[in-house]
Amino acid sequence: MSKDTQTLDLAAVETYLRANLPGFEGPIEADKFQRGQSNPTFLLKTPARNYVLRRKPPGQLLKSAHAVDREFRVQSALEHTDVPVAKMHLLCEDPAIIGSDFYIMDHIDGRNFNQPTLEELDKSDRSAVLDDMNRVLAALHDVDIDAVGLSDFGPPGNYYERQIGRWSKQYRASETETVPAMDQLMDALSKQIPEEDGQRTLVHGDYRIDNMMFEKDGTKCLAILDWELSTIGHPYADLAAVIMQWQMPATPEGRGMAGIDRAALGLPTDEEFVARYCERRGIGPIDNFGFYVGFCFFRMTAIIQGVLKRALDGNASNPERAMQMGQYVPLFAQHGLQALEAKG
């Protein structure tokens, strides 16, 4: 048994999989992935093949958070679309098995990039990887939600109004100190919500390069990961999430491109990435893009605050990383205010 399994009961998992997963043969070993702060994720190794187990964390959880059942449902629905996802196998909603709900999916044998600067690649491959990231995002937003059975995956009504309300409540529930910039950002966003434009699509909710798996020796995306925040909403939130990430410092913690000579590295500008996305989807230029970027900084601030609160409460999947992330709460909120002021 791997020392990294932490709270995962391997004997219980193996017994369950023998009874419920066709073709499964043990024994199993498990290693915990350090990525994926919210829902602890494990690589399950068997003699024949590898799987991934993703579970709700233990302890007291905020209502509606860590919805592994929703992750399982959306990825199952996307199996035969142009959106690359891992194959889903089993959803277990009986917490008696290992202490919380979990699901089993295929392990994707690819590579993951932690930094959008893609320094480990040559110039042409950097451009190709980010272009495929763009292609997959456009494909995601073009999914026919009625055809794949996801029309009820999110409630009707203004997505941004709904999200601002939800994440404001989540932020308040996990607040550990007053952050004036976040208070200002929540107030400003609520007053600037754009009118509905008729777009109602599947959204990932945390679309960025490190939540994707690519070919080991190529530039094609094999799977989008971490679907916990997915819902039916407005597509520009995902697009703006990419741009938000790129505006952060080009450091292991920031994982952005601020101050980078993108042209020299073969990386697109924000404007080029947005324009290519619009071209792929056959839509015109986006008005007031700064609102969407500001919204993404707001939501990420709320998420990071939740991660920090779990660390302080002793429930974080990776406590050290969680405490490091928590330091960025005021910075993200300030960036959100700046994005709103920039409009764009």
Side-chain angles (χ1 to χ4, degrees):
M1 182 183 294
S2 167
K3 60 183 174 55
D4 292 327
T5 55
Q6 295 187 9
T7 59
L8 188 62
D9 185 338
L10 282 185
V13 172
E14 185 167 334
T15 299
Y16 181 83
L17 295 186
R18 284 186 187 278
N20 294 280
L21 182 57
F24 172 80
E25 293 182 10
I28 58 174
E29 296 180 2
D31 289 301
K32 184 173 182 293
F33 292 105
Q34 291 307 303
R35 67 179 307 283
Q37 273 295 316
S38 187
N39 290 326
T41 307
F42 301 83
L43 173 63
L44 301 184
K45 302 175 183 177
T46 77
R49 61 185 295 184
N50 294 338
Y51 302 93
V52 169
L53 181 151
R54 192 158 157 88
R55 66 174 297 179
K56 283 188 176 184
Q60 282 292 115
L61 304 175
L62 292 172
K63 185 180 179 181
S64 82
H66 314 283
V68 294
D69 57 325
R70 286 178 60 83
E71 288 190 21
F72 183 85
R73 179 186 172 189
V74 67
Q75 290 173 95
S76 298
L78 291 172
E79 182 175 357
H80 300 297
T81 70
D82 290 335
V83 181
V85 290
K87 181 176 177 56
M88 300 293 108
H89 291 292
L90 284 173
L91 172 65
C92 177
E93 297 182 278
D94 180 0
I97 304 299
I98 64 169
S100 63
D101 298 359
F102 67 92
Y103 66 88
I104 303 292
M105 62 182 174
D106 267 356
H107 173 246
I108 302 296
D109 188 21
R111 57 179 172 173
N112 176 249
F113 302 110
N114 196 47
Q115 305 284 347
T117 47
L118 303 170
E119 293 177 9
E120 60 268 57
L121 302 180
D122 62 33
K123 186 174 180 178
S124 63
D125 281 353
R126 289 187 199 118
S127 177
V129 163
L130 292 186
D131 190 61
D132 209 54
M133 182 184 186
N134 188 292
R135 176 191 65 82
V136 169
L137 184 60
L140 170 64
H141 296 154
D142 281 340
V143 167
D144 185 332
I145 58 176
D146 295 322
V148 299
L150 290 175
S151 57
D152 65 341
F153 196 61
N158 189 294
Y159 172 73
Y160 297 103
E161 183 178 330
R162 193 169 79 232
Q163 286 279 300
I164 291 167
R166 173 193 172 186
W167 286 107
S168 293
K169 289 177 183 176
Q170 296 260 36
Y171 175 78
R172 294 301 186 199
S174 57
E175 194 172 14
T176 52
E177 63 179 324
T178 299
V179 179
M182 185 58 163
D183 293 339
Q184 295 170 36
L185 181 57
M186 288 190 288
D187 181 61
L189 283 170
S190 297
K191 295 175 179 175
Q192 297 182 34
I193 297 173
E195 292 183 10
E196 295 270 30
D197 64 359
Q199 295 193 76
R200 189 171 186 266
T201 72
L202 179 61
V203 293
H204 179 269
D206 196 15
Y207 194 81
R208 59 189 194 212
I209 196 76
D210 53 303
N211 278 341
M212 306 176 77
M213 294 295 295
F214 290 82
E215 295 171 321
K216 277 189 170 180
D217 299 312
T219 59
K220 184 179 180 180
C221 175
L222 298 178
I224 310 174
L225 309 174
D226 291 4
W227 288 84
E228 186 196 345
L229 300 179
S230 61
T231 187
I232 302 301
H234 196 273
Y236 298 163
D238 277 343
L239 179 61
V242 176
I243 304 307
M244 174 203 76
Q245 187 70 51
W246 291 358
Q247 291 181 4
M248 296 305 293
T251 63
E253 295 79 22
R255 292 181 292 183
M257 293 200 230
I260 292 292
D261 184 347
R262 297 196 200 178
L265 294 178
L267 304 169
T269 64
D270 294 349
E271 294 76 16
E272 287 169 344
F273 191 86
V274 171
R276 186 74 179 102
Y277 166 89
C278 291
E279 180 184 336
R280 281 191 159 111
R281 294 199 60 222
I283 58 178
I286 300 172
D287 293 330
N288 192 18
F289 193 65
F291 168 85
Y292 306 105
V293 177
F295 163 78
C296 288
F297 273 116
F298 150 76
R299 184 173 56 187
M300 187 55 65
T301 305
I303 291 170
I304 293 174
Q305 181 61 45
V307 169
L308 174 61
K309 182 66 160 58
R310 286 199 302 278
L312 294 173
D313 290 346
N315 294 326
S317 177
N318 183 340
E320 183 179 352
R321 171 74 175 147
M323 293 298 289
Q324 291 173 346
M325 289 174 64
Q327 299 174 10
Y328 284 86
V329 168
L331 178 64
F332 270 70
Q334 191 59 50
H335 274 290
L337 286 173
Q338 292 169 358
L340 278 182
E341 292 168 1
K343 298 296 181 183

